Amino acid sequence: MKTKKFKKKFKRKDLRLKNIVIDDLESFSETEIVEEKRAEKKILEKAKTSKKSGLKLKKGRILEVKTNYRCLVAFDDYEIECPLSGRLKQLNLETRSLVATGDFVMVDFSEEPRIEEILPRKTKLTRFSEAGFQTEVIIAANIDQVIITVSVAEPPLNLSLVDRYICAAALENIIPIICINKIDLADSLEEIEKQVAFYSRCGYKVVLTSVKTEKGLDELKKVLKNKQSVFSGHSGVGKSSLINKLQPGINLRTGEISEFNKKGIHVTTSSRLIPWKFGGFLVDTPGIKTFGLPRKEKDKIPRIFPGFSELSENCKFQNCSHTHENECAVKDALARNEYPQERYFSYLRIWESL
Ligand SMILES: Nc1nc2c(ncn2[C@@H]2O[C@H](COP(=O)(O)OP(=O)(O)OP(=O)(O)O)[C@@H](O)[C@H]2O)c(=O)[nH]1
Ligand SMILES: [Mg+2]
Ligand SMILES: [Zn+2]
């Protein structure tokens, strides 16, 4: 594929130089570009449907995506690093994350091991870029629950981010668990508890933890046992530190908090699937900068945003967006102080961003 493409490019350039006197050179190149695009599309279609025969396939699981084309794969009793097959590389042209940590794959051992097939995902946690054309980034695949990790300080508590994760989890049928870490740094624990009580009332599990004092770690462990979880959140909130505490000896890299802006410095750089000694798996992930939701799912947000599912049953309009409509149960609850203003503003920011 690479050599073919190179030849084609070379040919076009060659023509330009040799036929410099031809009047309609530009239109000639245009046709060639169109044809090249058509050929590329054909290759992609073929890659989607073609299957080689005579392969020695073995099922494995992606532990880590090293680059777009090379992954660390686990089998029953060993791990190997291997590339995606040429066919899958072609498919990779279409998306930025074709393969993700947690994916089950079929590896062909008939020659040098190669990943031939990515098996359908049961679930995936995805985020989207917010501006312009939205690209999908898969954070982890085949997981039961996302541990939405935030800290009370350094970096400061960000509940709007929690709201976004809860919506993303609802869209993918993943259970959201809220982990509020660094409670040793809270000026007033009561104040924090008041702020997060809303989420408990909505039925979400909230765990308050401190890596420093070890508070809440047993409770967190219970939540994680025998489950497939992913830890996700901003850089510096303590994802890797929590994992280190829960599984002594694992020694994941952790980092200092920047003196300058009290944020993390992006220490973890790739997602990694790790088995818990007490049962289950976890994916440690790099801190995210932004967490965009999929624009194509905008219409679902008014019913899945924290606290809205029951309320919206009483809105006059079935597809009420809780913004400009009359007889809106969400706005009524807001007026009666039965729904927190902060969360409603957080909803509006998401609604407008989509
Ligand atoms: N005071 C306090 N500090 C903590 C706690 N948990 C983690 N830290 C500190 O916070 C810093 C960042 O922790 P990391 O575990 O590297 O954070 P992370 O979320 O993995 O960050 P990225 O890998 O960059 O996404 C380290 O200096 C930890 O020692 C805690 O409960 N209390
Ligand atoms: Mg980390
Ligand atoms: Zn409404």
Side-chain angles (χ1 to χ4, degrees):
M1 170 69 190
K2 234 183 199 164
T3 47
K4 246 191 204 164
K5 232 184 168 177
F6 177 71
K7 264 188 205 157
K8 249 184 191 160
K9 274 203 181 123
F10 184 73
K11 208 168 104 195
R12 196 196 300 166
K13 214 173 175 187
D14 217 27
L15 274 168
R16 275 180 190 274
L17 295 176
K18 276 190 197 155
N19 303 330
I20 202 96
V21 287
I22 294 178
D23 288 339
D24 59 352
L25 176 70
E26 278 316 309
S27 66
F28 178 80
S29 330
E30 284 279 308
T31 343
E32 212 194 31
I33 290 168
V34 170
E35 266 176 19
E36 203 172 284
K37 279 255 173 289
R38 213 175 274 157
E40 214 166 67
K41 209 172 159 199
K42 234 174 161 179
I43 291 169
L44 234 115
E45 286 308 314
K46 204 174 154 211
K48 269 182 189 163
T49 50
S50 81
K51 288 231 169 79
K52 280 198 233 154
S53 55
L55 303 181
K56 289 188 186 133
L57 295 174
K58 215 172 158 185
K59 187 176 169 184
R61 191 166 192 196
I62 304 284
L63 292 180
E64 190 175 353
V65 182
K66 298 270 183 180
T67 67
N68 251 346
Y69 297 136
R70 285 194 81 78
C71 305
L72 187 65
V73 186
F75 299 91
D76 287 341
D77 42 6
Y78 61 97
E79 300 170 0
I80 53 166
E81 206 183 295
C82 60
L84 295 184
S85 70
R87 185 179 72 84
L88 290 180
K89 279 184 200 164
Q90 284 164 5
L91 287 180
N92 205 46
L93 293 172
E94 266 190 333
T95 157
R96 266 213 323 198
S97 49
L98 176 75
V99 62
T101 303
D103 266 331
F104 288 101
V105 291
M106 298 306 283
V107 176
D108 169 34
F109 280 87
S110 59
E111 294 166 33
E112 279 286 292
R114 265 170 216 292
I115 300 167
E116 272 299 325
E117 201 75 47
I118 299 161
L119 299 177
R121 297 179 179 114
K122 270 202 306 211
T123 57
K124 59 184 195 247
L125 178 67
T126 39
R127 68 179 175 87
F128 290 77
S129 55
E130 293 215 85
F133 180 76
Q134 287 199 302
T135 30
E136 179 190 37
V137 180
I138 305 173
I139 297 175
N142 300 312
I143 42 152
D144 307 313
Q145 55 189 22
V146 51
I147 314 300
I148 307 166
T149 320
V150 288
S151 51
V152 302
E154 302 186 9
L157 187 58
N158 185 337
L159 294 178
S160 306
L161 184 67
V162 172
D163 296 333
R164 283 170 179 266
Y165 272 104
I166 289 177
C167 291
L171 289 172
E172 292 287 347
N173 279 321
I174 300 169
I175 299 167
I177 311 278
I178 304 160
C179 175
I180 318 268
N181 190 35
K182 305 200 187 184
I183 54 165
D184 56 286
L185 297 181
D187 290 332
S188 153
L189 195 56
E190 225 171 50
E191 189 50 43
I192 299 290
E193 281 169 342
K194 227 194 253 164
Q195 277 193 68
V196 299
F198 162 75
Y199 294 98
S200 310
R201 280 205 303 279
C202 294
Y204 304 108
K205 174 90 184 153
V206 183
V207 192
L208 303 181
T209 59
S210 164
V211 171
K212 210 165 178 183
T213 66
E214 305 199 357
K215 204 157 185 267
L217 294 187
D218 284 341
E219 194 186 349
L220 183 59
K221 196 168 169 177
K222 264 191 214 142
V223 171
L224 297 166
K225 196 174 169 168
N226 298 332
K227 292 276 169 35
Q228 312 260 333
S229 317
V230 53
F231 281 72
S232 193
H234 279 320
S235 174
V237 294
K239 301 177 291 296
S240 304
S241 305
L242 282 164
I243 297 164
N244 281 345
K245 261 285 184 271
L246 291 166
Q247 183 134 301
I250 188 166
N251 291 331
L252 298 176
R253 262 190 72 209
T254 61
E256 293 306 309
I257 295 300
S258 151
E259 269 305 312
F260 162 66
N261 60 9
K262 296 288 175 204
K263 286 183 180 172
I265 50 168
H266 294 275
V267 175
T268 305
T269 51
S270 67
S271 297
R272 179 82 202 255
L273 181 81
I274 303 163
W276 290 120
K277 284 183 184 145
F278 50 83
F281 282 87
L282 81 136
V283 183
D284 185 23
T285 62
I288 53 115
K289 290 200 175 91
T290 58
F291 194 98
L293 291 164
R295 216 167 280 148
K296 60 180 192 298
E297 305 279 21
K298 179 173 182 177
D299 291 345
K300 291 188 184 150
I301 308 292
R303 261 144 298 281
I304 61 176
F305 189 84
F308 281 8
S309 68
E310 267 178 36
L311 281 175
S312 56
E313 278 171 24
N314 297 322
C315 293
K316 180 177 178 189
F317 302 102
Q318 213 195 343
N319 60 351
C320 184
S321 70
H322 323 308
T323 55
H324 60 276
E325 296 88 346
N326 291 324
E327 294 179 50
C328 165
V330 169
K331 284 195 290 178
D332 289 347
L334 193 69
R336 289 195 305 268
N337 267 332
E338 288 165 11
Y339 190 88
Q341 221 177 43
E342 275 286 304
R343 304 280 52 80
Y344 183 68
F345 289 147
S346 164
Y347 165 73
L348 287 184
R349 280 195 296 274
I350 293 177
W351 182 252
E352 271 148 32
S353 76
L354 299 172

